[in-house]
Amino acid sequence: MKVEGFYRSIAAALVALVILASATITSCSTDGSASRRAVKTGVSPTAGSPSTMASPGVAALVIYNANVVTMDDNNASAQGVAIGPAGRIMKVGTNAQVLGLADKNTQQVDLRGATVLPGFIDPHSHMAGYAMYNDPEHWTDVSNINVLFKPLPGTSGCLDAKDYQHCFVPVQTQQDVTARIKAAVAKIRQSGSQIDPLPVLAFNYDASRLGHGAGCSKPDGLGLDCETFENGLARPQLDAIAQDIPIYVTSESGHISYVNTKALQMLNICNTSVASGGCHAPTTNPTVESQLAEKGQLDEDLSLYATGKMQGLVLNRYPTLAETLLQKAATIYAQHGYTLAQEGAATIDDIGLYNKVLQNCLPNKCPFPLSAAMVAYDDSSPDFSSIVATGVAGRTLVGSNPLLTVAMLKSFTDGSPQGYTAFLNSPYMQVFTPFTNGGIFQQPYVGLPDLSEQQIQQRLYAAHAAGFPMLIHQIGDAAIGNAVRAVMASATKDHSVPPPGTHDVMLHAPMITTAQLDQLKTLNPGVVVSIMSTNVYYYGLPECQQVLGPQRTMNIYPARAVRDRGLHLTLHSDTPVTPPYPLFEIWVGVTRQTQQPSWYPNRNTQTCPVIFANNPAYPGDERISILDGIKAFTTNAAWQYGMTDRGSLATSNVADMVILSSNPLDPSVVANPNLLQNIRTLATVSYGRYIPNPTANQPPVWPN
């Protein structure tokens, strides 16, 4: 789901960034004495780059007294790892073997029995988008998913239980949302800055997850039964709050945004009543999108364009803010075990930003705690050649930086189900305005395709010819059908395949069928199927009750079917749609538990059960094992990127590791997957740089 394209209008602000001087990550002691003093959690109090003073054949960093799970083909375990000054693994073995490679300049860390796994690799998210939302001064939180891991009311980290900007206080009704936007408008008025105000910005709104409030069509109405911004009347609703201050609201999926008239004028979208010279034209379904924009609803590419323009206003006013927020986001990712993050649809400006903060990281000290993979994208043109050009230019810009890669290109085949832009073979379970409007949408309404099968196939040719695999966003069963047929035709009829060692990615694919998976498993080279397991938890109930119905949701996101066919399965969060937390994503994949919010009651647990597995009415069990989940973020994720030197702990591999308080593969955890929520990330090792997690001793915020 889209959260990308934030930065097209802010190239100057992004490219001019400088590396932060971070106080949270310091260089290691040259005599090794400080790093030998392990704290109670079993991690060193210092962090930094591998020592540049190490002699040839001498380790720069040694971790020992650990439970090392290598994730290699032999399922080997060890006690320690020795890492060379170039950030590569020298030895995986016993304590004696790895300590034998140390001298007085070696950083040594006693893990006191903690578990070491290969660092978690992010198969798909949007870390820069996540960074920009994590800005309580400029973005109002109107979500009910704890994407930012805010402390809960009643805990020590939450100073004011009513402070939804710094504590997790979920919105429960449309009235909660409206109240928060009104408060943001009032704050501007009180400051006296309405002469040239920044827009009121609100993030991660989702009408489908709201409970009963005013304006509901049924006595027990929920979500889309009630008055929301997703009813074709967003513009007058937001105008009623303010007409002189721009208001801009993004959805949780990022596929839809909502505006008042003042904001619509600023965005200057073509074929609307407020458009003027030099207007911005939609690139996908232009007639439909222009008609919706007139109503204050911006779909798909218009939402991406608008978010970039609005965020650009903030960053242009505060030129150093982007670097601060990106550093904060990277730190949160690392604190949850990631050693490589993805920018899931990166413009050339995004790539420039990452290149700036990562270009001087080796072998010197580096405040940025992980490496990054870019998925090139350009939302300004319907011509795929612009996306190819972004990828090529990005690779030239990045050069040989080992911490940054332009991994693939991005294409969208449709939108999101709860936003009613997923392209289906048959109508939605329930359809609400504006999608019932026959003057705008063909009836019966089945969603909107972004690309045809032929267009997807043409894009695959172009991507492969330019030396890139393609990551293909696909949600609805009709869109998935187009994508699968295009991939099969590209490989089998026209022999267009990605470059050796790389793989096309079928992204999201919640409604992919076993027959389609059987087709994909015949391909050589194979494809990756990347499943958004967390959507089962957060959106299983709304999609079952209102959007798609139980028949199409009970076995949605079929991770086990992917695994059973020998296809490479990865899991992803699509952050900032859901939290960037691999252990949580694995837990959902293992349990297939759905959230039962107090404000959004389950009307019939027989029809829409808490656990989406083994329902007699809808046979199937898509639960996977914890080991499958770990592979999804290690060996399989490395295979997705074609990174043969990551994903497992072996001699000469990149020294990326996550250090956990206990082993997620321990038999006690396998027997009771709920124990995953007690496991803490104590530290990570990124390209040989040891980075402790200062929040490791705090109670974890398991997503709510």
Side-chain angles (χ1 to χ4, degrees):
M1 301 174 188
K2 309 175 194 175
V3 195
E4 51 281 309
F6 275 11
Y7 315 111
R8 174 151 307 281
S9 63
I10 53 169
L14 295 177
V15 175
L17 296 176
V18 296
I19 297 176
L20 288 173
S22 172
T24 60
I25 302 175
T26 60
S27 62
C28 59
S29 170
T30 56
D31 66 2
S33 59
S35 62
R36 292 189 184 100
R37 295 193 296 270
V39 295
K40 289 183 179 180
T41 56
V43 297
S44 165
T46 63
S49 303
S51 171
T52 56
M53 300 177 64
S55 304
V58 175
L61 168 65
V62 168
I63 58 176
Y64 63 100
N65 279 343
N67 174 25
V68 180
V69 181
T70 64
M71 296 300 294
D72 65 9
D73 292 338
N74 298 318
N75 294 319
S77 61
Q79 293 177 305
V81 183
I83 300 164
R88 298 272 176 170
I89 295 174
M90 295 177 64
K91 183 70 178 178
V92 180
T94 65
N95 286 334
Q97 287 174 324
V98 298
L99 288 170
L101 297 172
D103 70 5
K104 66 178 182 179
N105 294 316
T106 301
Q107 182 184 12
Q108 299 177 35
V109 182
D110 181 354
L111 289 184
R112 298 187 177 182
T115 293
V116 179
L117 283 165
F120 292 142
I121 298 170
D122 174 17
H124 180 65
S125 75
H126 309 268
M127 192 171 74
Y130 183 69
M132 299 308 142
Y133 287 160
N134 199 355
D135 175 14
E137 291 302 312
H138 301 104
W139 283 92
T140 297
D141 189 340
V142 292
S143 69
N144 51 38
I145 295 176
N146 195 6
V147 172
L148 298 175
F149 302 105
K150 294 180 182 180
L152 306 182
T155 67
S156 59
C158 178
L159 302 179
D160 180 355
K162 297 181 180 180
D163 182 5
Y164 49 79
Q165 290 294 85
H166 298 92
C167 304
F168 179 56
V169 184
V171 296
Q172 300 186 17
T173 67
Q174 179 70 14
Q175 288 66 52
D176 291 343
V177 175
T178 302
R180 293 187 186 187
I181 295 173
K182 287 181 177 179
V185 169
K187 182 179 178 181
I188 289 177
R189 299 199 193 287
Q190 291 167 4
S191 70
S193 61
Q194 58 263 43
I195 295 175
D196 183 26
L198 287 169
V200 167
L201 305 173
F203 75 92
N204 278 21
Y205 169 81
D206 197 300
S208 73
R209 285 175 47 88
L210 294 175
H212 184 80
C216 297
S217 60
K218 303 176 183 178
D220 63 344
L222 298 171
L224 297 160
D225 291 324
C226 305
E227 180 181 285
T228 69
F229 296 145
E230 181 69 2
N231 62 1
L233 297 172
R235 183 176 167 191
Q237 290 178 53
L238 292 169
D239 278 347
I241 298 175
Q243 297 184 31
D244 57 331
I245 296 173
I247 301 175
Y248 181 74
V249 183
T250 70
S251 66
E252 186 91 24
S253 72
H255 284 256
I256 302 173
S257 301
Y258 312 92
V259 293
N260 67 351
T261 298
K262 187 74 171 179
L264 188 62
Q265 290 170 339
M266 292 176 63
L267 295 169
N268 194 22
I269 295 169
C270 297
N271 298 317
T272 61
S273 60
V274 298
S276 58
C279 61
H280 178 87
T283 63
T284 305
N285 298 308
T287 301
V288 168
E289 289 190 12
S290 295
Q291 290 176 300
L292 287 176
E294 180 70 20
K295 297 175 178 294
Q297 180 169 319
L298 310 180
D299 276 19
E300 304 301 320
D301 59 284
L302 285 186
S303 181
L304 309 187
Y305 152 74
T307 303
K309 188 173 181 67
M310 293 299 184
Q311 181 63 32
L313 296 174
V314 176
L315 297 186
N316 284 332
R317 188 166 295 188
Y318 303 98
T320 64
L321 181 61
E323 58 193 271
T324 302
L325 295 175
L326 190 64
Q327 177 72 35
K328 186 196 295 189
T331 299
I332 292 173
Y333 270 58
Q335 288 172 345
H336 291 85
Y338 282 113
T339 55
L340 183 145
Q342 185 185 103
E343 192 54 50
T347 68
I348 191 62
D349 302 318
D350 300 329
I351 298 169
L353 167 61
Y354 279 90
N355 188 59
K356 189 71 174 178
V357 300
L358 285 168
Q359 65 182 348
N360 295 318
C361 279
L362 291 174
N364 302 316
K365 292 180 292 184
C366 177
F368 210 70
L370 40 71
S371 52
M374 305 287 103
V375 180
Y377 188 68
D378 181 356
D379 64 356
S380 67
S381 169
D383 190 343
F384 188 65
S385 64
S386 65
I387 297 177
V388 174
T390 298
V392 172
R395 279 191 169 169
T396 300
L397 177 64
V398 168
S400 59
N401 187 340
L403 293 177
L404 184 61
T405 180
V406 180
M408 55 192 76
L409 308 182
K410 179 77 171 280
S411 280
F412 293 90
T413 65
D414 65 344
S416 76
Q418 68 271 21
Y420 283 81
T421 52
F423 181 39
L424 304 177
N425 285 320
S426 57
Y428 285 82
M429 176 187 180
Q430 292 178 284
V431 183
F432 305 87
T433 55
F435 302 105
T436 55
N437 187 334
I440 300 177
F441 300 100
Q442 185 175 347
Q443 301 295 316
Y445 181 72
V446 293
L448 293 172
D450 286 0
L451 298 171
S452 68
E453 176 186 337
Q454 183 179 17
Q455 288 172 316
I456 299 167
Q457 194 170 337
Q458 291 170 345
R459 289 187 171 208
L460 284 162
Y461 300 156
H464 298 163
F468 294 97
M470 195 159 77
L471 183 145
I472 310 170
H473 168 111
Q474 53 203 280
I475 295 289
D477 48 5
I480 292 168
N482 284 342
V484 170
R485 288 189 294 272
V487 168
M488 294 301 300
S490 171
T492 60
K493 294 180 181 178
D494 301 300
H495 307 292
S496 174
V497 295
T502 68
H503 312 280
D504 294 321
V505 179
M506 312 297 279
L507 182 68
H508 306 318
M511 304 172 74
I512 198 165
T513 67
T514 55
Q516 290 165 335
L517 292 172
D518 285 336
Q519 288 181 288
L520 293 174
K521 76 177 182 180
T522 66
L523 294 178
N524 184 21
V527 299
V528 172
V529 181
S530 193
I531 293 293
M532 192 176 174
S533 62
T534 45
N535 257 19
V536 173
Y537 182 75
Y538 289 115
Y539 290 98
L541 182 55
E543 289 180 7
C544 182
Q545 289 198 140
Q546 288 193 297
V547 180
L548 297 174
Q551 184 70 48
R552 288 184 285 191
T553 57
M554 201 56 53
N555 293 304
I556 205 165
Y557 295 100
R560 187 169 182 170
V562 175
R563 181 209 66 183
D564 286 350
R565 280 152 183 79
L567 290 161
H568 283 76
L569 167 71
T570 63
L571 304 176
H572 64 269
S573 65
D574 205 9
T575 302
V577 181
T578 68
Y581 198 170
L583 291 179
F584 173 68
E585 296 167 59
I586 292 168
W587 174 79
V588 178
V590 171
T591 65
R592 287 184 65 86
Q593 182 167 320
T594 60
Q595 189 186 36
Q596 307 288 299
S598 60
W599 65 85
Y600 186 90
N602 190 333
R603 292 164 170 164
N604 187 338
T605 55
Q606 296 298 313
T607 302
C608 297
V610 174
I611 302 296
F612 274 19
N614 281 343
N615 187 299
Y618 312 101
D621 188 348
E622 292 300 333
R623 291 176 292 190
I624 58 174
S625 70
I626 292 178
L627 178 60
D628 295 328
I630 297 294
K631 287 180 178 179
F633 289 101
T634 56
T635 53
N636 285 0
W639 196 85
Q640 172 178 308
Y641 289 109
M643 295 177 174
T644 58
D645 58 356
R646 300 196 198 204
S648 64
L649 302 179
T651 301
S652 299
N653 275 9
V654 171
D656 279 4
M657 291 172 266
V658 58
I659 299 166
L660 302 175
S661 59
S662 57
N663 186 0
L665 296 172
D666 184 271
S668 64
V669 183
V670 171
N672 181 9
N674 290 333
L675 295 176
L676 285 169
Q677 66 185 293
N678 299 326
I679 298 177
R680 319 285 178 84
T681 301
L682 304 179
T684 54
V685 178
S686 175
Y687 233 102
R689 296 172 294 128
Y690 181 72
I691 304 166
N693 180 5
T695 68
N697 288 323
Q698 299 175 10
V701 179
W702 194 247
N704 301 94

